[in-house]
Amino acid sequence: MRMLRGQFGHRLLGLAVIGAGLAVGGAAYAQVMGQPAPWEYKLQEAATPVMENITWFHNFMLWLITAITLFVLALLVIVVVKFNSKANPVPSKTTHNTLIEVAWTIIPVLILVAVSVPSFRLLFLQLDIPKADLTIKATGKQWFWTYSYPDNGPFEFDSLMAQDKQPRLLAVDNEVVVPVNKVVRVQTTAADVIHSFAVPSFGIKIDAIPGRLNETWFKATKTGWFYGQCSELCGKDHAYMPIAIRVVTEQEFAAWLETAKKKFASNPSSTFASATTTQAQ
């Protein structure tokens, strides 16, 4: 008996240690923004007004669907319990109930209207691009991204996944840098096959199609690193073309811009050459 108690105590201690480790890990990951976290069950933390609206609409729909599901479940339980053959040996011959028929027609219509209003408002917010403070062109290639700043000088650079950086499969060698609280217009296209430019924390996801220029926008309200990935099946290395965006202050962006003009203007395809060599190896 004493041995069993000792084993039980050791198991409880082990569970307590595991629980403490998970709590510490959860607290650490709670501070991480702009990237997925282990055991994440919700959307990434919003960093733009569009993503804030997406999160609100998601939560609204979740509660609405949950309420509808519970209501239907309750009706099914009532039918099973109250109208089974034992409780009603002689079944009712009722064929019509005007009140119920009107209710099950009008209530779903009202629910659809309640869903459509915020849905169309969100769609308009996403597609109606305001006057941009900065424009970025993102060109999808197999399997990396090429970025340029059309309004800020004739330079461009390639952004490839960095093998020796964290977070794994999301870090890049040359990240996109944008100023905080500024409207950034993102123009997307592709050089070979269809790619998709997606950054969950910004609430943006748009296809990059060869021969076509698509547009989206974001306004980051927080500084930091934010990550995304190509969300279109574009080939064997589809999982290895991440998107990394660093949001900085206006002063930091101005300094980075001057450095980028000098670094990338002279030989914009140098990183592509090194990437091709790396992939070949």
Side-chain angles (χ1 to χ4, degrees):
M1 189 69 178
R2 184 177 301 174
M3 184 179 296
L4 291 176
R5 290 178 180 176
Q7 292 177 353
F8 184 70
H10 284 301
R11 290 180 181 178
L12 286 179
L13 179 61
L15 290 174
V17 172
I18 293 173
L22 290 175
V24 173
Y29 280 109
Q31 299 175 0
V32 176
M33 288 180 52
Q35 60 181 286
W39 301 96
E40 192 169 38
Y41 64 91
K42 54 184 177 57
L43 301 176
Q44 290 187 23
E45 183 178 348
T48 66
V50 171
M51 189 58 191
E52 290 175 358
N53 279 268
I54 292 175
T55 302
W56 177 89
F57 186 64
H58 168 270
N59 295 336
F60 167 71
M61 288 299 300
L62 180 62
W63 284 109
L64 180 62
I65 292 172
T66 301
I68 293 174
T69 303
L70 293 177
F71 175 71
V72 173
L73 177 62
L75 291 180
L76 289 175
V77 172
I78 292 173
V79 169
V80 170
V81 173
K82 191 174 181 179
F83 298 101
N84 58 66
S85 59
K86 292 182 179 179
N88 290 273
V90 181
S92 172
K93 297 182 180 180
T94 303
T95 57
H96 296 282
N97 187 304
T98 304
L99 178 61
I100 293 178
E101 291 179 359
V102 171
W104 74 37
T105 302
I106 294 180
I107 293 176
V109 171
L110 295 178
I111 293 174
L112 290 177
V113 171
V115 171
S116 65
V117 171
S119 175
F120 284 122
R121 186 184 295 117
L122 176 58
L123 190 64
F124 182 79
L125 178 64
Q126 291 177 303
L127 299 180
D128 184 34
I129 301 176
K131 183 179 179 181
D133 300 305
L134 177 68
T135 299
I136 295 174
K137 183 179 180 182
T139 303
K141 300 177 180 178
Q142 291 180 311
W143 286 271
F144 60 97
W145 294 92
T146 296
Y147 298 103
S148 62
Y149 291 65
D151 299 333
N152 298 95
F155 71 94
E156 66 176 23
F157 58 90
D158 298 327
S159 180
L160 291 93
M161 187 182 71
Q163 299 286 350
D164 56 345
K165 293 183 180 180
Q166 293 294 328
R168 179 176 176 270
L169 300 181
L170 292 176
V172 299
D173 54 355
N174 296 310
E175 72 278 1
V176 176
V177 180
V178 298
V180 69
N181 292 321
K182 296 293 183 181
V183 176
V184 180
R185 176 173 54 189
V186 181
Q187 298 177 332
T188 63
T189 187
D192 34 51
V193 299
I194 298 178
H195 300 275
S196 183
F197 190 89
V199 182
S201 291
F202 291 169
I204 59 175
K205 183 174 185 285
I206 189 168
D207 284 347
I209 304 174
R212 180 172 177 175
L213 198 66
N214 286 337
E215 287 187 340
T216 187
W217 72 282
F218 66 86
K219 181 182 179 182
T221 57
K222 303 173 183 178
T223 59
W225 291 81
F226 302 90
Y227 297 94
Q229 291 175 303
C230 173
S231 297
E232 189 68 58
L233 295 177
C234 57
K236 71 179 184 68
D237 285 340
H238 155 69
Y240 307 105
M241 53 180 303
I243 301 163
I245 299 178
R246 180 159 58 98
V247 182
V248 298
T249 62
E250 290 188 56
Q251 294 78 9
E252 291 174 328
F253 174 73
W256 174 88
L257 190 61
E258 293 303 318
T259 302
K261 289 178 180 179
K262 299 175 183 178
K263 180 179 179 181
F264 300 116
S266 59
N267 189 11
S269 60
S270 59
T271 54
F272 170 72
S274 62
T276 305
T277 303
T278 303
Q279 291 181 354
Q281 293 175 351

